[in-house]
């Protein structure tokens, strides 16, 4: 048996076989030429060597050489280069078509986005998993345009238009793909966002809000009017929190309407509208129409401009509960942003129920994380540490986390409750984050996860800077 301890594959060699074949036959490619393919093979299945060899000959139409190696080495390579579904089941090959296989594999391993991009010498595919982009495939440049045209056809886009951006959608039985095509210097880049329709897993009690924060939040969303705003950068989980809130509020005696871009989940009993700016269906125009639909609760996917902000405030003043998101760095920053958009501070103080900021942090894999002595110099120079930390954990990587060192993500929240002191500070223009957060800023929550060994310094560093 080969004493090899580690297998490294380049993208070209990795693409010799797909994930389904690699895991089914327990093989990893070693080398390939026009006439022959060489594979590492799980030595624990040595009794199956001849039958597997015969099947590979039929599939690849080449002479096959199998080299037995230690099972643990092969499994590590399979989990690194040929990912399986998170529950350990093998990926199903839905089609021989490259695009279909790519989409369904990304769906199975819980990727949120598929990036297909072209450069001067080559083209590649990357998947975003737990917020991080990971290279998946290289594509031959001469077949790239064919792949792009296939995506355009599936998403009902114009295959002759190569100079302007286009947006489309591909629908499957239990999920959708939002397609964005952007002309770049060397050709068109595609980003496909995977949108799951099933909202059954959304539960406001399981989003990560701590008990006190959850109580404050539920108290705010139970009000019959006012505005609830959730802030954070793209990919921070704002929409998931909104959907969890809508699911909590959804009952037969409430009329709930939403305008979204895109509709990520469909919720029975809620009237959901897809934004279509090209025909004039904007957040603002949809909101005007909503007010004539006798709504109890209105959800706007995002407050992007001053006109939408002022309409949302007006809707909350006339007896509606308005939920929305906004791009700011903190719960207090949301107040400043709305005032900068022209919303009078006295109206904001009267209508704001709660301001929430959130982030998603990758959590360390419990099977491989390693404890180390903590050095305060690893923290940002501007951050003041308010507690003693003796040790911390770092990411390592193992079979169970696909050798990334991380497994799953955890949401952290920063909540600004609307107390009498807070509303007075908003009216007077004296609202400062340090005065009202009481040690519950995002940086404090991030440090809590870090000091409890749940995440790494790399994950929280950017939050500690802000």
């Amino acid at each position: 048996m080969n004493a090899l301890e580690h297998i490294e594959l380049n993208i070209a060699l990795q693409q010799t076989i797909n994930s389904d074949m690699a895991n089914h036959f327990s093989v990893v490619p070693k080398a390939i030429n026009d006439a022959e393919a060489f594979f590492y093979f799980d030595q624990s299945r040595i009794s199956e060597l001849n039958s597997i060899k015969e099947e590979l000959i039929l599939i690849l139409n080449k002479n096959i050489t199998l080299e037995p190696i230690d099972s643990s080495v092969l499994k590590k390579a399979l989990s690194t280069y040929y990912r399986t579904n998170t529950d350990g089941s093998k990926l199903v090959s839905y089609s021989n078509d490259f695009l279909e296989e790519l989409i369904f594999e990304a769906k199975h391993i819980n990727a949120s986005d598929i990036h297909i991009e072209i450069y001067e010498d080559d083209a590649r595919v990357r998947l975003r998993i737990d917020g991080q982009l990971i290279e998946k495939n290289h594509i031959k440049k001469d077949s790239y345009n064919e792949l792009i045209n296939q995506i355009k056809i599936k998403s009902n886009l114009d295959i002759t238009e190569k100079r302007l951006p286009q947006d489309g959608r591909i629908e499957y039985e239990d999920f959708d793909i939002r397609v964005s095509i952007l002309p770049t210097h060397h050709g068109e880049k595609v980003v496909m966002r995977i949108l799951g329709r099933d909202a059954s897993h959304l539960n406001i009690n399981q989003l990560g809000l701590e008990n006190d924060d959850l109580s404050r939040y539920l108290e705010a969303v139970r009000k019959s009017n006012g505005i609830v705003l959730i802030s954070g950068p793209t990919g921070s989980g704002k929409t998931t929190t909104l959907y969890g809130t809508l699911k909590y509020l959804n009952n037969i005696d409430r009329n709930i309407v939403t305008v979204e871009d895109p509709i990520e989940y469909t919720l029975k009993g809620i009237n959901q509208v897809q934004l279509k700016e090209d025909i004039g269906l904007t957040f603002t125009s949809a909101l005007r129409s909503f007010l004539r639909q006798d709504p109890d609760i209105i959800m706007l996917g995002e407050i992007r401009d001053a006109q939408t902000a002022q309409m949302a405030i007006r809707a909350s003043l006339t007896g509606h509960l308005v939920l929305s998101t906004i791009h700011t760095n903190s719960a207090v920053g949301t107040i400043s942003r709305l005032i900068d958009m022209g919303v009078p501070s006295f109206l904001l103080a009267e209508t704001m129920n709660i301001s929430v900021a959130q982030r998603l942090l990758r959590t360390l894999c419990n099977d491989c994380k390693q404890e180390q002595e903590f050095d305060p110099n690893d923290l940002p120079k501007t951050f003041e540490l308010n507690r003693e930390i003796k040790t911390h954990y770092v990411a390592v990587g193992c079979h169970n986390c696909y050798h990334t060192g991380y497994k799953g993500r955890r949401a952290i929240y920063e909540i600004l409750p609307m107390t009498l002191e807070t509303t007075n500070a908003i009216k007077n223009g004296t609202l400062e984050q340090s005065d009202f957060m009481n040690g519950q800023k995002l940086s404090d929550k991030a440090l809590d996860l870090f000091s409890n060994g749940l995440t790494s310094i790399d994950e929280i560093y950017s939050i500690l800077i802000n």
Side-chain angles (χ1 to χ4, degrees), residues 26-59:
S26 293
V27 295
V28 172
K30 178 182 179 182
I32 191 167
N33 55 46
D34 292 339
E36 190 168 10
F38 301 83
F39 291 91
Y40 294 114
F41 172 70
D42 185 350
Q43 66 92 27
S44 69
R45 297 179 62 179
I46 196 73
S47 62
E48 303 174 66
L49 188 145
N50 289 332
S51 63
I52 289 176
K53 182 175 180 180
E54 289 174 3
E55 289 190 55
L56 287 172
I57 290 172
L58 288 173
I59 293 171

mmCIF file of all heavy atoms in Angstrom, residues 26-59:
data_model
loop_
_atom_site.group_PDB
_atom_site.id
_atom_site.type_symbol
_atom_site.label_atom_id
_atom_site.label_comp_id
_atom_site.label_asym_id
_atom_site.label_seq_id
_atom_site.Cartn_x
_atom_site.Cartn_y
_atom_site.Cartn_z
ATOM 1 N N SER A 26 -14.945 5.675 -4.490
ATOM 2 C CA SER A 26 -13.853 5.925 -3.530
ATOM 3 C C SER A 26 -12.517 6.049 -4.247
ATOM 4 O O SER A 26 -11.533 5.379 -3.921
ATOM 5 C CB SER A 26 -13.787 4.804 -2.483
ATOM 6 O OG SER A 26 -14.920 4.807 -1.666
ATOM 7 N N VAL A 27 -12.486 6.939 -5.245
ATOM 8 C CA VAL A 27 -11.257 7.172 -6.002
ATOM 9 C C VAL A 27 -10.994 8.661 -6.105
ATOM 10 O O VAL A 27 -11.920 9.481 -6.054
ATOM 11 C CB VAL A 27 -11.330 6.557 -7.414
ATOM 12 C CG1 VAL A 27 -11.423 5.044 -7.350
ATOM 13 C CG2 VAL A 27 -12.487 7.142 -8.224
ATOM 14 N N VAL A 28 -9.711 9.004 -6.258
ATOM 15 C CA VAL A 28 -9.270 10.380 -6.493
ATOM 16 C C VAL A 28 -8.237 10.338 -7.607
ATOM 17 O O VAL A 28 -7.314 9.511 -7.560
ATOM 18 C CB VAL A 28 -8.659 10.998 -5.214
ATOM 19 C CG1 VAL A 28 -8.022 12.343 -5.517
ATOM 20 C CG2 VAL A 28 -9.718 11.154 -4.132
ATOM 21 N N PRO A 29 -8.354 11.193 -8.642
ATOM 22 C CA PRO A 29 -7.412 11.122 -9.762
ATOM 23 C C PRO A 29 -5.987 11.475 -9.368
ATOM 24 O O PRO A 29 -5.755 12.374 -8.560
ATOM 25 C CB PRO A 29 -7.993 12.129 -10.763
ATOM 26 C CG PRO A 29 -8.866 13.023 -9.971
ATOM 27 C CD PRO A 29 -9.403 12.212 -8.847
ATOM 28 N N LYS A 30 -5.049 10.741 -9.967
ATOM 29 C CA LYS A 30 -3.623 10.987 -9.747
ATOM 30 C C LYS A 30 -2.989 11.619 -10.977
ATOM 31 O O LYS A 30 -2.207 12.559 -10.876
ATOM 32 C CB LYS A 30 -2.915 9.673 -9.410
ATOM 33 C CG LYS A 30 -1.421 9.805 -9.198
ATOM 34 C CD LYS A 30 -0.790 8.445 -8.912
ATOM 35 C CE LYS A 30 0.722 8.577 -8.713
ATOM 36 N NZ LYS A 30 1.343 7.248 -8.487
ATOM 37 N N ALA A 31 -3.318 11.063 -12.152
ATOM 38 C CA ALA A 31 -2.796 11.585 -13.421
ATOM 39 C C ALA A 31 -3.687 11.080 -14.540
ATOM 40 O O ALA A 31 -4.390 10.078 -14.397
ATOM 41 C CB ALA A 31 -1.355 11.139 -13.634
ATOM 42 N N ILE A 32 -3.657 11.788 -15.664
ATOM 43 C CA ILE A 32 -4.476 11.381 -16.795
ATOM 44 C C ILE A 32 -3.825 11.836 -18.094
ATOM 45 O O ILE A 32 -3.191 12.896 -18.136
ATOM 46 C CB ILE A 32 -5.912 11.962 -16.679
ATOM 47 C CG1 ILE A 32 -6.840 11.316 -17.712
ATOM 48 C CG2 ILE A 32 -5.918 13.469 -16.784
ATOM 49 C CD1 ILE A 32 -8.309 11.597 -17.457
ATOM 50 N N ASN A 33 -3.936 10.992 -19.117
ATOM 51 C CA ASN A 33 -3.510 11.370 -20.463
ATOM 52 C C ASN A 33 -4.550 10.875 -21.449
ATOM 53 O O ASN A 33 -5.622 10.415 -21.044
ATOM 54 C CB ASN A 33 -2.108 10.828 -20.776
ATOM 55 C CG ASN A 33 -2.011 9.321 -20.586
ATOM 56 O OD1 ASN A 33 -2.885 8.576 -21.039
ATOM 57 N ND2 ASN A 33 -0.946 8.860 -19.924
ATOM 58 N N ASP A 34 -4.250 10.953 -22.727
ATOM 59 C CA ASP A 34 -5.251 10.588 -23.730
ATOM 60 C C ASP A 34 -5.662 9.128 -23.663
ATOM 61 O O ASP A 34 -6.797 8.774 -24.006
ATOM 62 C CB ASP A 34 -4.720 10.902 -25.137
ATOM 63 C CG ASP A 34 -4.591 12.398 -25.372
ATOM 64 O OD1 ASP A 34 -5.266 13.162 -24.643
ATOM 65 O OD2 ASP A 34 -3.824 12.801 -26.261
ATOM 66 N N ALA A 35 -4.740 8.262 -23.232
ATOM 67 C CA ALA A 35 -5.026 6.825 -23.277
ATOM 68 C C ALA A 35 -5.311 6.203 -21.932
ATOM 69 O O ALA A 35 -5.950 5.157 -21.846
ATOM 70 C CB ALA A 35 -3.845 6.094 -23.937
ATOM 71 N N GLU A 36 -4.844 6.831 -20.826
ATOM 72 C CA GLU A 36 -4.910 6.161 -19.531
ATOM 73 C C GLU A 36 -5.185 7.157 -18.414
ATOM 74 O O GLU A 36 -4.787 8.322 -18.476
ATOM 75 C CB GLU A 36 -3.601 5.420 -19.265
ATOM 76 C CG GLU A 36 -3.653 4.484 -18.059
ATOM 77 C CD GLU A 36 -2.456 3.555 -17.996
ATOM 78 O OE1 GLU A 36 -1.502 3.767 -18.762
ATOM 79 O OE2 GLU A 36 -2.494 2.625 -17.172
ATOM 80 N N ALA A 37 -5.880 6.668 -17.389
ATOM 81 C CA ALA A 37 -6.148 7.466 -16.194
ATOM 82 C C ALA A 37 -5.670 6.701 -14.971
ATOM 83 O O ALA A 37 -5.907 5.497 -14.849
ATOM 84 C CB ALA A 37 -7.629 7.789 -16.081
ATOM 85 N N PHE A 38 -4.984 7.403 -14.074
ATOM 86 C CA PHE A 38 -4.461 6.811 -12.848
ATOM 87 C C PHE A 38 -5.235 7.395 -11.663
ATOM 88 O O PHE A 38 -5.415 8.608 -11.566
ATOM 89 C CB PHE A 38 -2.970 7.118 -12.689
ATOM 90 C CG PHE A 38 -2.114 6.616 -13.817
ATOM 91 C CD1 PHE A 38 -1.973 7.355 -14.998
ATOM 92 C CD2 PHE A 38 -1.458 5.398 -13.714
ATOM 93 C CE1 PHE A 38 -1.198 6.898 -16.038
ATOM 94 C CE2 PHE A 38 -0.678 4.932 -14.749
ATOM 95 C CZ PHE A 38 -0.554 5.678 -15.920
ATOM 96 N N PHE A 39 -5.681 6.504 -10.767
ATOM 97 C CA PHE A 39 -6.469 6.942 -9.606
ATOM 98 C C PHE A 39 -5.895 6.361 -8.320
ATOM 99 O O PHE A 39 -5.413 5.221 -8.296
ATOM 100 C CB PHE A 39 -7.923 6.475 -9.726
ATOM 101 C CG PHE A 39 -8.710 7.147 -10.802
ATOM 102 C CD1 PHE A 39 -8.774 6.608 -12.077
ATOM 103 C CD2 PHE A 39 -9.395 8.331 -10.548
ATOM 104 C CE1 PHE A 39 -9.501 7.217 -13.076
ATOM 105 C CE2 PHE A 39 -10.129 8.952 -11.538
ATOM 106 C CZ PHE A 39 -10.176 8.401 -12.810
ATOM 107 N N TYR A 40 -5.965 7.176 -7.245
ATOM 108 C CA TYR A 40 -5.784 6.627 -5.909
ATOM 109 C C TYR A 40 -7.097 5.939 -5.528
ATOM 110 O O TYR A 40 -8.185 6.427 -5.871
ATOM 111 C CB TYR A 40 -5.472 7.736 -4.904
ATOM 112 C CG TYR A 40 -4.145 8.420 -5.130
ATOM 113 C CD1 TYR A 40 -4.099 9.776 -5.501
ATOM 114 C CD2 TYR A 40 -2.949 7.724 -4.972
ATOM 115 C CE1 TYR A 40 -2.886 10.407 -5.699
ATOM 116 C CE2 TYR A 40 -1.729 8.358 -5.170
ATOM 117 C CZ TYR A 40 -1.712 9.696 -5.544
ATOM 118 O OH TYR A 40 -0.506 10.309 -5.750
ATOM 119 N N PHE A 41 -6.986 4.847 -4.786
ATOM 120 C CA PHE A 41 -8.145 4.001 -4.512
ATOM 121 C C PHE A 41 -8.128 3.592 -3.046
ATOM 122 O O PHE A 41 -7.076 3.316 -2.468
ATOM 123 C CB PHE A 41 -8.071 2.765 -5.427
ATOM 124 C CG PHE A 41 -9.091 1.698 -5.133
ATOM 125 C CD1 PHE A 41 -10.432 1.907 -5.397
ATOM 126 C CD2 PHE A 41 -8.711 0.480 -4.589
ATOM 127 C CE1 PHE A 41 -11.369 0.926 -5.136
ATOM 128 C CE2 PHE A 41 -9.634 -0.512 -4.320
ATOM 129 C CZ PHE A 41 -10.970 -0.283 -4.604
ATOM 130 N N ASP A 42 -9.308 3.559 -2.408
ATOM 131 C CA ASP A 42 -9.437 3.215 -0.987
ATOM 132 C C ASP A 42 -9.063 1.747 -0.780
ATOM 133 O O ASP A 42 -9.781 0.847 -1.224
ATOM 134 C CB ASP A 42 -10.877 3.471 -0.539
ATOM 135 C CG ASP A 42 -11.060 3.264 0.962
ATOM 136 O OD1 ASP A 42 -10.139 2.740 1.623
ATOM 137 O OD2 ASP A 42 -12.140 3.627 1.463
ATOM 138 N N GLN A 43 -7.958 1.504 -0.085
ATOM 139 C CA GLN A 43 -7.460 0.132 0.065
ATOM 140 C C GLN A 43 -8.392 -0.749 0.900
ATOM 141 O O GLN A 43 -8.337 -1.969 0.805
ATOM 142 C CB GLN A 43 -6.050 0.153 0.669
ATOM 143 C CG GLN A 43 -5.960 0.666 2.099
ATOM 144 C CD GLN A 43 -6.057 -0.446 3.113
ATOM 145 O OE1 GLN A 43 -5.709 -1.577 2.808
ATOM 146 N NE2 GLN A 43 -6.528 -0.120 4.315
ATOM 147 N N SER A 44 -9.322 -0.130 1.661
ATOM 148 C CA SER A 44 -10.264 -0.945 2.427
ATOM 149 C C SER A 44 -11.303 -1.613 1.515
ATOM 150 O O SER A 44 -12.004 -2.528 1.933
ATOM 151 C CB SER A 44 -10.983 -0.088 3.478
ATOM 152 O OG SER A 44 -11.859 0.840 2.867
ATOM 153 N N ARG A 45 -11.370 -1.161 0.252
ATOM 154 C CA ARG A 45 -12.292 -1.765 -0.722
ATOM 155 C C ARG A 45 -11.531 -2.574 -1.776
ATOM 156 O O ARG A 45 -11.968 -2.702 -2.910
ATOM 157 C CB ARG A 45 -13.120 -0.657 -1.397
ATOM 158 C CG ARG A 45 -14.013 0.110 -0.451
ATOM 159 C CD ARG A 45 -14.804 1.205 -1.159
ATOM 160 N NE ARG A 45 -15.713 0.670 -2.177
ATOM 161 C CZ ARG A 45 -16.515 1.435 -2.913
ATOM 162 N NH1 ARG A 45 -16.515 2.761 -2.740
ATOM 163 N NH2 ARG A 45 -17.310 0.891 -3.818
ATOM 164 N N ILE A 46 -10.404 -3.137 -1.362
ATOM 165 C CA ILE A 46 -9.533 -3.843 -2.310
ATOM 166 C C ILE A 46 -10.248 -5.001 -2.994
ATOM 167 O O ILE A 46 -9.960 -5.340 -4.143
ATOM 168 C CB ILE A 46 -8.248 -4.329 -1.578
ATOM 169 C CG1 ILE A 46 -7.162 -4.697 -2.586
ATOM 170 C CG2 ILE A 46 -8.553 -5.478 -0.636
ATOM 171 C CD1 ILE A 46 -6.529 -3.515 -3.251
ATOM 172 N N SER A 47 -11.216 -5.600 -2.315
ATOM 173 C CA SER A 47 -11.950 -6.728 -2.907
ATOM 174 C C SER A 47 -12.792 -6.293 -4.103
ATOM 175 O O SER A 47 -13.176 -7.114 -4.943
ATOM 176 C CB SER A 47 -12.838 -7.398 -1.856
ATOM 177 O OG SER A 47 -13.807 -6.479 -1.366
ATOM 178 N N GLU A 48 -13.095 -4.978 -4.183
ATOM 179 C CA GLU A 48 -13.907 -4.461 -5.280
ATOM 180 C C GLU A 48 -13.066 -3.872 -6.404
ATOM 181 O O GLU A 48 -13.605 -3.304 -7.360
ATOM 182 C CB GLU A 48 -14.861 -3.379 -4.760
ATOM 183 C CG GLU A 48 -15.783 -3.810 -3.641
ATOM 184 C CD GLU A 48 -16.565 -2.621 -3.103
ATOM 185 O OE1 GLU A 48 -17.393 -2.072 -3.858
ATOM 186 O OE2 GLU A 48 -16.331 -2.234 -1.939
ATOM 187 N N LEU A 49 -11.762 -3.983 -6.299
ATOM 188 C CA LEU A 49 -10.866 -3.285 -7.227
ATOM 189 C C LEU A 49 -11.182 -3.603 -8.686
ATOM 190 O O LEU A 49 -11.314 -2.695 -9.519
ATOM 191 C CB LEU A 49 -9.413 -3.633 -6.899
ATOM 192 C CG LEU A 49 -8.338 -2.836 -7.671
ATOM 193 C CD1 LEU A 49 -7.128 -2.600 -6.777
ATOM 194 C CD2 LEU A 49 -7.888 -3.568 -8.940
ATOM 195 N N ASN A 50 -11.309 -4.865 -9.019
ATOM 196 C CA ASN A 50 -11.513 -5.238 -10.423
ATOM 197 C C ASN A 50 -12.844 -4.732 -10.972
ATOM 198 O O ASN A 50 -12.916 -4.236 -12.099
ATOM 199 C CB ASN A 50 -11.415 -6.757 -10.583
ATOM 200 C CG ASN A 50 -9.992 -7.256 -10.402
ATOM 201 O OD1 ASN A 50 -9.034 -6.528 -10.666
ATOM 202 N ND2 ASN A 50 -9.850 -8.497 -9.944
ATOM 203 N N SER A 51 -13.918 -4.849 -10.162
ATOM 204 C CA SER A 51 -15.220 -4.396 -10.646
ATOM 205 C C SER A 51 -15.254 -2.884 -10.818
ATOM 206 O O SER A 51 -15.833 -2.372 -11.798
ATOM 207 C CB SER A 51 -16.325 -4.846 -9.690
ATOM 208 O OG SER A 51 -16.149 -4.259 -8.404
ATOM 209 N N ILE A 52 -14.636 -2.142 -9.900
ATOM 210 C CA ILE A 52 -14.590 -0.684 -10.017
ATOM 211 C C ILE A 52 -13.750 -0.278 -11.222
ATOM 212 O O ILE A 52 -14.105 0.643 -11.976
ATOM 213 C CB ILE A 52 -14.049 -0.062 -8.716
ATOM 214 C CG1 ILE A 52 -15.096 -0.202 -7.598
ATOM 215 C CG2 ILE A 52 -13.671 1.400 -8.913
ATOM 216 C CD1 ILE A 52 -14.642 0.289 -6.248
ATOM 217 N N LYS A 53 -12.649 -0.991 -11.428
ATOM 218 C CA LYS A 53 -11.790 -0.706 -12.583
ATOM 219 C C LYS A 53 -12.561 -0.875 -13.883
ATOM 220 O O LYS A 53 -12.484 -0.037 -14.789
ATOM 221 C CB LYS A 53 -10.570 -1.631 -12.541
ATOM 222 C CG LYS A 53 -9.575 -1.400 -13.667
ATOM 223 C CD LYS A 53 -8.355 -2.282 -13.478
ATOM 224 C CE LYS A 53 -7.361 -2.067 -14.596
ATOM 225 N NZ LYS A 53 -6.161 -2.930 -14.417
ATOM 226 N N GLU A 54 -13.348 -1.959 -13.988
ATOM 227 C CA GLU A 54 -14.114 -2.223 -15.205
ATOM 228 C C GLU A 54 -15.157 -1.129 -15.451
ATOM 229 O O GLU A 54 -15.368 -0.694 -16.582
ATOM 230 C CB GLU A 54 -14.798 -3.589 -15.100
ATOM 231 C CG GLU A 54 -13.822 -4.763 -15.181
ATOM 232 C CD GLU A 54 -14.505 -6.101 -14.931
ATOM 233 O OE1 GLU A 54 -15.755 -6.094 -14.744
ATOM 234 O OE2 GLU A 54 -13.816 -7.124 -14.920
ATOM 235 N N GLU A 55 -15.824 -0.676 -14.376
ATOM 236 C CA GLU A 55 -16.827 0.375 -14.538
ATOM 237 C C GLU A 55 -16.197 1.691 -14.976
ATOM 238 O O GLU A 55 -16.747 2.407 -15.826
ATOM 239 C CB GLU A 55 -17.598 0.568 -13.231
ATOM 240 C CG GLU A 55 -18.540 -0.583 -12.893
ATOM 241 C CD GLU A 55 -19.451 -0.250 -11.725
ATOM 242 O OE1 GLU A 55 -20.143 0.785 -11.790
ATOM 243 O OE2 GLU A 55 -19.461 -1.014 -10.742
ATOM 244 N N LEU A 56 -15.041 2.023 -14.423
ATOM 245 C CA LEU A 56 -14.363 3.259 -14.801
ATOM 246 C C LEU A 56 -13.886 3.217 -16.247
ATOM 247 O O LEU A 56 -13.907 4.229 -16.955
ATOM 248 C CB LEU A 56 -13.185 3.533 -13.859
ATOM 249 C CG LEU A 56 -13.559 4.001 -12.444
ATOM 250 C CD1 LEU A 56 -12.326 4.049 -11.557
ATOM 251 C CD2 LEU A 56 -14.237 5.374 -12.482
ATOM 252 N N ILE A 57 -13.468 2.032 -16.706
ATOM 253 C CA ILE A 57 -13.062 1.876 -18.111
ATOM 254 C C ILE A 57 -14.237 2.177 -19.033
ATOM 255 O O ILE A 57 -14.105 2.884 -20.037
ATOM 256 C CB ILE A 57 -12.509 0.452 -18.363
ATOM 257 C CG1 ILE A 57 -11.147 0.284 -17.667
ATOM 258 C CG2 ILE A 57 -12.377 0.168 -19.861
ATOM 259 C CD1 ILE A 57 -10.620 -1.142 -17.693
ATOM 260 N N LEU A 58 -15.415 1.676 -18.667
ATOM 261 C CA LEU A 58 -16.602 1.907 -19.482
ATOM 262 C C LEU A 58 -17.005 3.378 -19.478
ATOM 263 O O LEU A 58 -17.393 3.940 -20.508
ATOM 264 C CB LEU A 58 -17.768 1.054 -18.966
ATOM 265 C CG LEU A 58 -17.675 -0.456 -19.222
ATOM 266 C CD1 LEU A 58 -18.807 -1.182 -18.505
ATOM 267 C CD2 LEU A 58 -17.740 -0.742 -20.728
ATOM 268 N N ILE A 59 -16.923 4.015 -18.315
ATOM 269 C CA ILE A 59 -17.359 5.412 -18.191
ATOM 270 C C ILE A 59 -16.396 6.374 -18.889
ATOM 271 O O ILE A 59 -16.815 7.276 -19.616
ATOM 272 C CB ILE A 59 -17.507 5.796 -16.702
ATOM 273 C CG1 ILE A 59 -18.660 5.015 -16.063
ATOM 274 C CG2 ILE A 59 -17.752 7.303 -16.547
ATOM 275 C CD1 ILE A 59 -18.736 5.156 -14.558
#
